[in-house]
Amino acid sequence: MFLPRYRALICSQFTRFSRSSSWSSSCSQIAAAPPRRGFFAGKSSVNTRRDRDTDNSRVMPSNVEIKAKVSDPTRFAARAAELSQSEGTIIKQHDTFFSCTQGRLKLRDFMDQSGQLIFYERPDTDGPKLSRYSISPTSDPPSLRTVLSDALGVKGEVRKERRLFLIGQTRVHLDAVEGLGNYMELEVVMRPEQTVEDGQKVCLHHICLDSLS
């Protein structure tokens, strides 16, 4: 089991990713307009967990995630590489966030003529969070960005280079965010038989939350 080592990876590396230090509170450095509190907290992975939406007419994927600011990205990357037995995958991302009356809507441009339009719902709370989302791929992110900007208006933008590691059922992201610094994001990939509580337990047990101070 990688659990004790995984906890060690997180416990020595981070300061708490509180609202005062989150992307949302710093977004005026890079965003077109200040978003509402907690806006820049994205969702990216495709998971197996599915939960029914409010009208019970279809299902939406979901996961449990947590974010924190990284104090030593070099050390963190080395430890994550050791635990995942890989050097990680580098992914460039340009996220554009649009005005949305319900939930959150963003266009993720991978800077290689591919992207994803992502709608998601996630509470603005500390600690592990449940995210429900829908994703639609696109082969022309710039044109889609123009249409959505004209129709809805832009809330803000985030550019980052992400390094992705896979450890067990958890996706570990190390993000170098333009203008803001280095952050980590853990996404617990929910299995079909797991509950939200199971996902929260994985987050809490794996990352040693009391050390993120």
Side-chain angles (χ1 to χ4, degrees), residues 38-54:
F39 192 85
F40 290 127
K43 175 74 220 68
S44 64
S45 66
V46 177
N47 303 307
T48 57
R49 167 69 175 166
R50 296 183 180 274
D51 291 281
R52 295 195 176 277
D53 63 6
T54 55

Side-chain angles (χ1 to χ4, degrees), residues 37-82:
R37 193 176 204 181
F39 192 85
F40 290 127
K43 175 74 220 68
S44 64
S45 66
V46 177
N47 303 307
T48 57
R49 167 69 175 166
R50 296 183 180 274
D51 291 281
R52 295 195 176 277
D53 63 6
T54 55
D55 64 5
N56 292 319
S57 62
R58 64 186 179 87
V59 294
M60 292 178 70
S62 67
N63 72 359
V64 174
E65 64 184 50
I66 194 164
K67 307 173 190 292
K69 188 173 177 62
V70 177
S71 60
D72 189 341
T74 300
R75 183 179 177 187
F76 172 79
R79 186 64 172 147
E82 177 185 350

Side-chain angles (χ1 to χ4, degrees), residues 156-198:
E157 297 181 40
V158 169
R159 292 177 173 83
K160 61 179 176 285
E161 182 175 276
R162 166 165 289 178
R163 192 168 174 183
L164 166 65
F165 303 90
L166 300 177
I167 304 176
Q169 70 178 105
T170 303
R171 295 168 61 93
V172 178
H173 301 151
L174 175 59
D175 293 337
V177 184
E178 185 177 303
L180 296 180
N182 298 291
Y183 295 83
M184 57 76 69
E185 179 180 72
L186 301 180
E187 295 179 351
V188 177
V189 182
M190 305 292 286
R191 301 188 181 105
E193 72 277 7
Q194 288 180 307
T195 66
V196 174
E197 290 74 19
D198 291 333

Side-chain angles (χ1 to χ4, degrees), residues 13-28:
Q13 296 298 313
F14 307 112
T15 56
R16 178 167 295 280
F17 188 62
S18 65
R19 288 194 179 96
S20 62
S21 62
S22 67
W23 293 356
S24 60
S25 63
S26 305
C27 68
S28 59

Side-chain angles (χ1 to χ4, degrees), residues 44 46 106-110 114-118 135-138 141:
S44 64
V46 177
K106 70 180 175 184
L107 175 65
R108 172 156 289 169
D109 188 344
F110 294 114
S114 71
Q116 296 173 332
L117 182 62
I118 306 169
I135 298 177
S136 178
T138 176

